[in-house]
Amino acid sequence: MSLDFIGKYNNWDKVDPAELFSKAPTEKKEANPKLNMVKFLQVEARGCDYVVLWLDCDKEGENICFEVLDAVEPVMNKIREQSVYRAKFSSITDTDIWKAMDCLGEPNRNEALSVDARQELDLRIGCAFTRFQTKYFQGKYGNLDSSLISFGPCQTPTLGFCVERHDKIQSFKPETYWVLQAKVFKGKDSPLTLDWYRVRVFDRDVGQMFVSLAKTSRVAQVESVSKKEKAKQRPQALNTVEMLRVGSSSLGMGPQHTMQIAERLYTQGYISYPRTETTHYPENFDLKGTLKQQSSNPYWAEEVKALLSAGLNRPRKGSDAGDHPPITPMRAASEGELGSDGWRLYDYITRHFIATVSQDCKYLQTTIDFTIGTESFSCSGKTLISAGYTAVMPWQGIPLEEAMPACERGDTFTVDEIKLVEKQTSPPDYLTEAELITLMEKHGIGTDASIPVHINNVCQRNYVTVENGRKLKPTNLGIVLVHGYYKTDAELVLPTIRSAVEKMLNLISLGKANHQQVLQHTLDIFKRKFHYFVDSIPSMDELMEVSFSPIAASGKPLSRCGKCHRFMKYIQAKPSRLHCSHCDETWSLPQNGAIKLYKELRCPLDEFELVLWTSGARGKSYPLCPYCFSNPPFRDMKKGMGCNECTHPSCQHSLNSLGIGQCVECDGGILVLDPTSGPKWRMACNKCNVVVHFFEHAHRVQVAQESCEACDASLVAVDFNKTRTPLPADETQHTGCVFCDPVFQDLVELKHATMRYRGGGARRGGRGRGRGRRGNPKKPKDKMAALAAYFV
């Protein structure tokens, strides 16, 4: 389910955003109403005595448990005290499923309430700020290039981290420094480059003095040679945050994409549950059994067999968050089974698991200290003793280096050169996704499940762009917004307040805080912040003025306003819209398509010139009146409808004049003639993506007043040129039903702007095709079966 405000509070124009903090009631709606999930569950549950809940074992899963119970409990038999059970499991394997079934528990109401509280807080706070700032700034500036200037209690601090790094880069002033570089050699060995003991100096004259002191000697004397055996520790068990970091930094996949692939691998039974904060294997975890499953994979079979014969190393102690075991492979797989990205992630998860039970990587570090004149230098090198876990994670291995020369204290090397090298301090780089994930985890912004969503949101809103190396570079809009929040109320963008809210939500899940009190307390704080933000918006606006153009100076003249009859400007930057600078009014347009003038024709109701929206050559197009699009002229119309849904009784562009018949796939859609599509004529559904191509190369196609006796669809009059007519006996004109007329049967072709599923016509073969303007459609005759067959 998804949480939303009840109908009337979703109207941005009529509702004051401040009301959303307390007055506006919320309701839970089906997230995907087309699935009819509630109805389906009720059908399944009717007459049942027990329900066992096998939802994801995290807080969100616990919340879904109670959504399921709300749907099914009213229809179940009520004869026993306990009829609801909860299964706790971490992977979809035989062992885990039987174990879960043997120790069923009860769903945790507190965890579910903590999720309810988070959803309500995010909805109320996010919507209030988003609505206010979107309406305020989009009404003033034309080139913001974002359809929604959104605010989110987690999303905004996430953006804040990116802008903070950007500010450090911009304010960075490089400093010049000098380093003493020495090269020495012994006999025929290749020269060694030495590191200076003082590292660097910021004064050239001082550096030159040290060069002069070092140049007093032509030999470098060995002061000491030390050899130490060191170990590179094997990794801790894998949790979600580390998986997301590696996905971004090493696999080149965004956090959202990584999470989607991990969820798919989990539901297919290849890995354990991918949402966990734990990095410690439970005492009863079958490490050996999990490892045995990987012994036949050619990529790591050798290492696995060696481990099984020599014995597994005890994994490093990690932290136990009490949720799920770490992420591990659950069965063997091949690249062919999983696909490219699926295999790359599975490959990493498996290698990481094998590494956690392998030995540490051991190497010998040799350090030689030299003196040249009065100055001290050193050089060091590493030699591998045993690869350990780096055999399966070679990218973490010790790089092969040239062997250090054999020497002992008192030996001398000849000085090849000593020079002063000038360098500059360099600014930090933009945050990578991996670094951002680390910052979010450190400051408690979001959960392991929601971190990818917040990062994806700031990218989708055009606040941040993903550059090469998955670096996050803030856009002009993102930078100005964060600077504006700092100027008005820094706590809106700092991670501190959200981190405190997350701690309170955690107390709800542990049963230590009251859900309603936490909700009310937090909303009170943000309501006051909202009123202060509204009062302080002029100071944020000062920053906007510097970076963006006023709406009156944006766009190109396109169509005439119906009020003043002057040209309105078409602003292409998101959200695309029309602005009349004389009336100082802005009119919304459909998004994600192209807009052009429609033959300079006017709407008969308000005198606005019509514009044509098109989604491209393969998509659909329809005319619309900019005024009617935002202000529906008739009761049965909604905001955002074009001429193809307008119920005007006599307008030549309306549904009544151009509608042909009911859509063959969706409920309530009407197939409407596209009068601009000739000579490749087509009709398109005004609700879904069905497009029907017909009568190619016809000279004229018109919708007749008469309707078909068989299916109640409007008849179509077609006029072909003599040279290209496909009609029998070289006729050039014919009027008939596109669904039933055998003459038209081969001239009609069903397509989709985006194909969803096939066979729509067959499913609803028994329904009328009329436009709904002549009362109830007549029942179709047998010809409908033929129609369904050729559409399939």
Side-chain angles (χ1 to χ4, degrees):
M1 309 290 273
S2 63
L3 192 70
D4 202 357
F5 296 110
I6 63 165
K8 70 173 187 176
Y9 286 95
N10 284 318
N11 188 324
W12 285 37
D13 299 320
K14 292 180 181 175
V15 177
D16 178 359
E19 290 182 29
L20 302 180
F21 283 99
S22 50
K23 287 184 184 176
T26 58
E27 60 179 342
K28 282 203 171 192
K29 298 176 181 174
E30 281 192 64
N32 190 346
K34 288 182 180 175
L35 289 178
N36 285 320
M37 188 55 73
V38 170
K39 193 176 175 184
F40 166 72
L41 288 172
Q42 286 175 342
V43 170
E44 292 295 313
R46 186 162 279 111
C48 287
D49 299 327
Y50 300 100
V51 58
V52 183
L53 299 154
W54 292 81
L55 281 308
D56 288 347
C57 295
D58 57 8
K59 288 172 188 169
E60 284 75 15
E62 220 62 32
N63 188 260
I64 299 169
C65 282
F66 288 93
E67 292 176 352
V68 171
L69 290 177
D70 288 342
V72 302
E73 279 190 323
V75 298
M76 287 176 61
N77 296 340
K78 293 178 177 61
I79 51 169
R80 290 173 178 79
E81 279 184 27
Q82 188 178 1
S83 56
V84 176
Y85 294 92
R86 174 74 163 112
K88 294 273 184 183
F89 58 102
S90 297
S91 65
I92 302 171
T93 59
D94 285 3
T95 319
D96 252 40
I97 290 169
W98 283 111
K99 196 189 289 178
M101 197 67 196
D102 285 341
C103 47
L104 295 173
E106 290 183 34
N108 187 324
R109 172 70 72 178
N110 290 328
E111 286 189 358
L113 285 172
S114 76
V115 174
D116 282 338
R118 180 185 284 111
Q119 285 178 350
E120 191 168 338
L121 288 173
D122 289 353
L123 176 74
R124 291 185 184 278
I125 297 164
C127 284
F129 279 90
T130 298
R131 288 187 192 184
F132 172 72
Q133 63 187 24
T134 300
K135 287 191 75 178
Y136 186 88
F137 292 123
Q138 280 185 353
K140 292 190 75 172
Y141 303 102
N143 59 339
L144 294 174
D145 202 24
S146 181
S147 50
L148 196 70
I149 304 173
S150 64
F151 174 93
C154 287
Q155 173 195 301
T156 306
T158 303
L159 174 62
F161 291 130
C162 301
V163 175
E164 185 184 6
R165 178 61 65 89
H166 168 84
D167 291 344
K168 281 180 182 172
I169 294 167
Q170 295 302 308
S171 61
F172 183 83
K173 288 179 181 169
E175 269 191 281
T176 306
Y177 65 92
W178 287 265
V179 174
L180 211 62
Q181 199 177 77
K183 281 187 181 177
V184 298
F185 66 92
K186 186 181 184 183
K188 292 182 180 178
D189 291 342
S190 54
L192 289 173
T193 302
L194 308 183
D195 299 318
W196 189 26
Y197 185 67
R198 297 181 195 273
V199 185
R200 60 187 176 182
V201 291
F202 286 90
D203 188 314
R204 193 176 189 284
D205 293 338
V206 173
Q208 203 60 56
M209 178 194 74
F210 286 128
V211 172
S212 304
L213 289 170
K215 279 187 172 177
T216 56
S217 174
R218 296 301 304 153
V219 294
Q221 185 150 344
V222 176
E223 292 296 318
S224 67
V225 180
S226 67
K227 294 189 177 186
K228 280 184 185 172
E229 189 179 303
K230 292 194 170 183
K232 193 173 183 181
Q233 276 195 313
R234 62 200 179 282
Q236 286 185 327
L238 184 65
N239 68 0
T240 306
V241 170
E242 182 60 23
M243 179 183 74
L244 296 177
R245 271 198 287 257
V246 171
S248 176
S249 59
S250 302
L251 306 179
M253 301 193 296
Q256 181 93 333
H257 183 51
T258 305
M259 206 66 222
Q260 286 167 352
I261 291 168
E263 283 168 358
R264 175 169 64 81
L265 292 176
Y266 162 67
T267 52
Q268 290 174 343
Y270 289 106
I271 64 169
S272 62
Y273 191 60
R275 291 199 184 114
T276 176
E277 294 172 24
T278 298
T279 57
H280 180 73
Y281 295 116
E283 294 304 317
N284 59 353
F285 192 86
D286 184 8
L287 293 168
K288 201 167 187 178
T290 308
L291 193 63
K292 266 183 186 170
Q293 293 173 338
Q294 302 298 331
S295 57
S296 57
N297 193 307
Y299 291 104
W300 44 73
E302 204 177 304
E303 288 81 6
V304 169
K305 283 171 183 168
L307 270 173
L308 288 169
S309 60
L312 277 62
N313 190 18
R314 190 177 176 82
R316 278 174 61 196
K317 188 166 174 59
S319 65
D320 185 357
D323 50 357
H324 284 271
I327 305 165
T328 56
M330 297 314 295
R331 61 186 172 105
S334 65
E335 189 170 356
E337 289 172 66
L338 305 181
S340 171
D341 284 352
W343 167 254
R344 285 164 64 221
L345 186 60
Y346 175 84
D347 175 87
Y348 173 74
I349 290 168
T350 308
R351 287 179 185 276
H352 190 107
F353 167 69
I354 298 167
T356 60
V357 293
S358 300
Q359 298 293 329
D360 289 345
C361 169
K362 289 178 182 166
Y363 61 92
L364 188 70
Q365 181 157 317
T366 307
T367 306
I368 307 172
D369 292 326
F370 295 89
T371 54
I372 306 174
T374 59
E375 290 308 292
S376 300
F377 296 85
S378 70
C379 72
S380 60
K382 295 170 185 171
T383 315
L384 187 67
I385 298 171
S386 68
Y389 81 91
T390 61
V392 283
M393 296 176 91
W395 60 91
Q396 290 194 16
I398 303 298
L400 282 170
E401 294 177 1
E402 215 169 296
M404 300 290 284
C407 60
E408 53 189 50
R409 189 179 176 189
D411 286 1
T412 56
F413 283 62
T414 308
V415 176
D416 187 22
E417 67 168 353
I418 292 181
K419 61 181 180 182
L420 196 63
V421 180
E422 185 179 305
K423 295 186 177 184
Q424 272 196 332
T425 54
S426 56
D429 214 335
Y430 282 105
L431 277 181
T432 61
E433 282 175 334
E435 290 168 333
L436 179 59
I437 290 165
T438 305
L439 281 171
M440 291 174 76
E441 184 193 29
K442 179 183 170 186
H443 292 281
I445 300 298
T447 61
D448 51 3
S450 66
I451 283 173
V453 178
H454 302 314
I455 296 175
N456 189 53
N457 281 347
V458 294
C459 298
Q460 294 283 322
R461 300 281 186 265
N462 195 32
Y463 295 161
V464 164
T465 56
V466 182
E467 306 286 307
N468 283 343
R470 306 227 45 104
K471 293 189 181 82
L472 300 168
K473 186 179 180 182
T475 61
N476 209 11
L477 178 59
I479 293 162
V480 172
L481 277 177
V482 169
H483 289 174
Y485 294 135
Y486 273 119
K487 206 171 175 186
T488 53
D489 181 358
E491 282 192 336
L492 292 176
V493 74
L494 289 171
T496 45
I497 196 159
R498 182 61 192 194
S499 184
V501 170
E502 286 290 348
K503 283 175 185 168
M504 285 193 282
L505 293 173
N506 205 38
L507 289 174
I508 296 174
S509 68
L510 296 170
K512 293 179 180 177
N514 180 281
H515 157 258
Q516 206 55 45
Q517 286 175 345
V518 169
L519 198 61
Q520 201 53 55
H521 173 69
T522 311
L523 286 173
D524 284 345
I525 292 170
F526 273 96
K527 188 176 182 179
R528 289 172 192 176
K529 286 186 174 296
F530 176 76
H531 286 301
Y532 182 75
F533 179 70
V534 171
D535 294 339
S536 312
I537 200 75
S539 63
M540 193 171 184
D541 199 22
E542 287 169 12
L543 297 175
M544 287 284 194
E545 280 174 358
V546 177
S547 303
F548 300 103
S549 311
I551 198 163
S554 307
K556 294 176 183 175
L558 178 74
S559 65
R560 289 185 186 274
C561 170
K563 295 182 179 181
C564 65
H565 300 290
R566 289 177 168 86
F567 275 103
M568 298 188 291
K569 284 185 173 179
Y570 170 47
I571 297 159
Q572 272 186 290
K574 284 184 182 178
S576 55
R577 52 213 192 273
L578 287 167
H579 178 73
C580 177
S581 50
H582 184 262
C583 304
D584 194 21
E585 287 188 302
T586 305
W587 308 105
S588 301
L589 293 171
Q591 302 300 304
N592 305 319
I595 293 282
K596 55 188 179 184
L597 192 60
Y598 184 57
K599 305 177 186 175
E600 295 188 6
L601 296 168
R602 293 175 185 263
C603 174
L605 295 170
D606 48 49
E607 287 292 295
F608 273 75
E609 276 189 337
L610 301 181
V611 293
L612 184 77
W613 177 86
T614 175
S615 63
R618 292 185 180 181
K620 60 182 189 177
S621 55
Y622 57 84
L624 64 112
C625 163
Y627 185 83
C628 295
F629 189 76
S630 297
N631 303 280
F634 303 109
R635 267 187 196 168
D636 54 354
M637 287 179 67
K638 290 178 184 173
K639 207 171 177 179
M641 286 185 168
C643 297
N644 63 344
E645 294 183 81
C646 176
T647 51
H648 192 291
S650 58
C651 174
Q652 60 176 349
H653 319 296
S654 73
L655 172 65
N656 275 3
S657 300
L658 297 175
I660 292 174
Q662 287 183 342
C663 178
V664 295
E665 287 220 354
C666 72
D667 290 310
I670 304 290
L671 292 167
V672 182
L673 175 68
D674 181 352
T676 65
S677 57
K680 295 185 176 182
W681 297 93
R682 65 191 174 197
M683 56 180 176
C685 176
N686 60 9
K687 291 276 192 288
C688 72
N689 290 322
V690 167
V691 177
V692 177
H693 292 255
F694 53 12
F695 315 129
E696 194 170 350
H697 306 304
H699 175 61
R700 190 187 298 113
V701 176
Q702 289 178 312
V703 181
Q705 285 298 309
E706 300 80 27
S707 58
C708 173
E709 288 184 11
C711 68
D712 203 34
S714 290
L715 301 185
V716 175
V718 188
D719 188 352
F720 281 98
N721 289 327
K722 279 183 182 178
T723 53
R724 306 188 77 167
T725 180
L727 298 174
D730 289 337
E731 285 182 30
T732 57
Q733 293 181 336
H734 186 79
T735 301
C737 174
V738 291
F739 301 109
C740 308
D741 195 321
V743 174
F744 285 160
Q745 192 147 345
D746 295 330
L747 306 178
V748 180
E749 180 188 0
L750 172 72
K751 289 194 176 179
H752 288 66
T754 313
M755 194 66 170
R756 284 188 187 145
Y757 46 73
R758 300 180 187 276
R763 288 185 302 113
R764 278 189 281 276
R767 210 179 72 183
R769 308 237 166 255
R771 285 179 285 171
R773 63 185 171 95
R774 302 181 184 85
N776 293 325
K778 295 173 190 173
K779 284 195 173 179
K781 297 182 183 169
D782 290 342
K783 286 185 180 178
M784 286 303 293
L787 164 74
Y790 89 73
F791 269 133
V792 172

